[in-house]
Every structure is written in C-alpha cells, then in structure tokens.
Amino acid sequence: MCLFRAISLHLAGVRGAEEETSKIFNSFIAKTGYDAASFNGVTIDDIPIVEEIVKLNIYIYDIDLQEGKFIGELVRRSIDKFDNKIQLLRYNNHICYVDNIDAFFNRFRCPTCDTFFKRSFNLNRHLQLCKEKVKNVYPKNVYSLRETLFDKLDNFGIPYTEEQKLFNNLAVYDFESICVPNSDLEPTATTTWIGKHVPISVSISSNLIDEPLFLCDEDPHQLTISFVTELENIAEKSKCEMKAKFSQVESAINSKLSCIMEKLNQRIGGSIGKKFEYEDECVEDEEEKDVSTQFLQIQKNQFLDLRNHFDRYINTLPVFGFNSGKYDLNLIKTYLLTYLINTKEAEPTVIKKANSFVSFKFGDVQFLDIMNFLGGATSLDSFLKAYKASETKGYFPYEWFDNPEKLEYTTLPPYEDFFSKLRNNNPLNKEYCDYKRLVDSGITEIDALKKLRLKSIPMTGRQNYQYLQKI
C-alpha cells in the first residue's frame, strides 16, 4: 500500500491522499485479479500496470550510504509512455515519496558503469547511451585473456593431470549479528536509527575439517580474531595438501629454473677477463652472447613469473560467503582491519565496487562473494533450490536474538517473535502466502509450485512453527 500512498500524495496532496489511495488500490486489484484480503504488496513486475492506472512514468531509487552521504541508485526506470513522471525512494522494501529527489540525494550513481552524477536528469540522459559495465581499452588489435597457471605450464611443456586442474579446497562462512541500541546515532529529518549491527557469532565449514565450526563471543574483536585464526589453520592444511598434490609440477618448475640460472651465470661469469686473439672475434662473440644472454634473461623472468603464479595458486584458500561482500565483511571490517594492520602487521589487498567487497585477501586467505558468480536478484533460498541442495534456508528470529544467552534456551521463542520488521512478514508464513497469492490469481497449483520451486503445498506459518517444535 505504501506505493499507492506515495503516488496519492503526489497527485492529490495530504488532504486527498486517503481517498486517492483507495481509488488506485481498487483499480489495481480489479486489473490484476489479486485477492485484496491476502494482498502482500506490489512487485517490480506490477509497476507497468500501476503506470497505466495513474498515467505517470514511475522511477524508483534505492539508497546507498557512503561516508555519511546519500547516494541514489536507479533500480526501476520507466519507458516514458506518459507526459508526467514521479520519482520514488525504496527503503527496506517500502516506498517513500520525496517531493524533490535531487535535494535528497548528494549524488546519483549509474547502476551499469558506476559513474556519478549531481542530478537525476543527467543520470537518465546518461542511461540512454550507457551500455557496457566496463569500458575496455585495447592496446592492440584484439583483447587477450590472461593466461591461467595451466596455460603457462603448457607453454613450458610441464605435464599435469586433469585432476590437478580442479581446485577442491575451499571454506564457507556466515556471520550473525545482534542489533544494539546506540545513542551516538542521532536521527535526522529523513532517517531514524534503530541501532547498530554488532557481530555475535560465525559459522565456518570446509572440506578440510571434519565438522563445521561455530564461534560465539560477545566481544566482536575477540570473535574476529578467533575467526581469522581458524581460517589460517584451514589455509595451512590446504597448503600442505596442495603442495603434496603438485609436488612433481613444483619439482619440474624448480629444475628448469635452476638450469636456466646456471647457464646464465656461466655466460655472465665466462666473459670476465677473457682475451681474444683478433679484434673482430671479440665483437662477433660479444654480439652473439648479448643475444643469447637476453634470451636467457627473458626465460628466467618468465619462469620466475610462473613460480610466483604457482605459489599463489597452491597457497591461497578461497573463502566464500553469500552476499558477504555487502553484509558480512562490512559488518566485521572495523575489527578485522584493526587486527590485521595493528596486531599482525599485514597489508590486505582489497578490491571494492561501491560499498561492496569484490575481493579481500590477507596472507593465504582470500574472501570472495558467491553472489559475484550468480545471476542478479538471487536469494539464498532460490540458490539452494536451483542447485537442488539437501539443505534449505532455515528460520531464525533475528530481531528476538539480542543476547547470546538466548542460545541456551531449550524452547523456541513464541511464533510472533519470528516476525521481521525489515521484511514486514513472518518468514514461517511467507511460502504459504506466496503460494496462495499465485493460486488466487488464477494460476494452477502445479504451475504455482513450479514457479516457487516447491515440491509440495507449503504449510502455513503456524504449521511450520508446530513442526519446528517437534524437531
């Protein structure tokens, strides 16, 4: 309903907003066939229908906070069928109306190429021409992909097996947090701060350990230190296993490099103090030696590059999280950087895109986000279903969990405590509501199950809660 209210404020002002909201809502229900009693909100796919009803071009922006400044990200762009337009904000799945969008945001960012603009008009004009995420400038005629380790091994005739091409070792992790009230966060005219997320626990799993690890600590600094220590232990196991797996490859690289170094030393050392019988003999020999020495120098550099690439490949442990680039690493970065730089005197290598971490590497540990390898708008639930994993996304009362002592409770919290203010629903009842909405709109039960990737008709929220109590 927040979308309809925002449009009504734009069309009819404060006094006529309620009447206009009811009018738009009734028109929308009549046009879509949705059940008004179980209506859960408008999806992005439904926006064109709303545009037809209100005869407005609807633009929707997300809010990104960077260094205390509001950055606007366009998430829904209209095809401009109508003469007038409305620009709205989306925050926590709710729509907000702002009379002057340019005054609210400090900057606007292009979702395609990350270019910043001062006004929304400039952004929309730019989007009509912006087509590529990355603009590649090719120094030569064609763009060549970077050589992999195995491409370099092929170039030097060093054999390896197909099994060695598959990197088996990895670790996965997931942080949980509690929302702690913070008086330092003062509300503004447009923002109300509820509290600050503080890490409270982390789970780690890997093919290199027998059982998943669960770490819980009220002190976020100590939790982060324990987290790093466990990952470094797993990385050490991975390094030992990979060195044994690639022992013959490593021996071949070192043998060839030693041979080149020996020849190079002989050529450099052999020309010192040598006397020539004829002057032209000296010139010719020196020219030949210059060419051959340069060739050996090039080979030496290529083998040194190969060995460095090989060392990075076998020593680095990839550590994956789901949406960790946006949430988990931002959650712990204050404590993680303090520990790495001040205590371990390590210099992490960081690649960022806007407020998201693409890669974060220190020592032999490299954090990556699996979301960077998936299609857009992928949730953890749909990811597990798409790959037919035996595990499913569980239910957790995030807002109820505000103290680690609650982990010792022997009974489930009440059903109502599972309700999420962020999502504005109870996750125990979400699948049933989605299924019922599709069936009520005229879709067959089988098609509804296929669309939601469900094997059977989902249970209601209360039934889910009773099932959890039994297990």
Side-chain angles (χ1 to χ4, degrees), residues 350-452:
V350 178
I351 301 174
K352 289 190 71 178
K353 180 181 179 183
N355 201 36
S356 177
F357 288 88
V358 177
S359 171
F360 189 109
K361 185 178 186 299
F362 66 89
D364 297 328
V365 176
Q366 183 173 13
F367 291 111
L368 298 168
D369 189 347
I370 193 67
M371 289 284 282
N372 291 325
F373 305 91
L374 303 176
T378 301
S379 65
L380 179 58
D381 187 42
S382 60
F383 171 65
L384 294 172
K385 290 177 181 177
Y387 287 89
K388 299 179 180 178
S390 57
E391 293 291 334
T392 58
K393 180 174 172 58
Y395 305 107
F396 193 82
Y398 292 101
E399 295 173 26
W400 168 85
F401 181 52
D402 56 7
N403 191 308
E405 293 179 0
K406 289 187 175 181
L407 291 173
E408 305 297 330
Y409 285 13
T410 57
T411 59
L412 287 176
Y415 171 79
E416 291 73 18
D417 285 340
F418 282 84
F419 186 85
S420 170
K421 294 179 183 177
L422 182 66
R423 302 290 183 186
N424 196 30
N425 63 37
N426 193 318
L428 292 170
N429 200 42
K430 183 179 182 303
E431 279 190 350
Y432 178 76
C433 288
D434 291 343
Y435 168 78
K436 191 174 185 303
R437 179 175 61 83
L438 289 174
V439 172
D440 290 345
S441 67
I443 296 177
T444 64
E445 292 184 355
I446 294 177
D447 289 340
L449 292 174
K450 286 181 180 179
K451 190 169 184 177
L452 296 173

Side-chain angles (χ1 to χ4, degrees), residues 119-146:
R119 296 190 302 155
S120 59
F121 172 79
N122 296 337
L123 171 64
N124 291 325
R125 183 175 60 183
H126 163 80
L127 288 172
Q128 296 175 6
L129 302 174
C130 184
K131 296 180 180 179
E132 298 181 4
K133 288 188 176 180
V134 178
K135 184 178 180 181
N136 293 312
V137 178
Y138 304 121
K140 296 181 181 179
N141 295 330
V142 294
Y143 175 73
S144 300
L145 294 173
R146 289 185 179 182

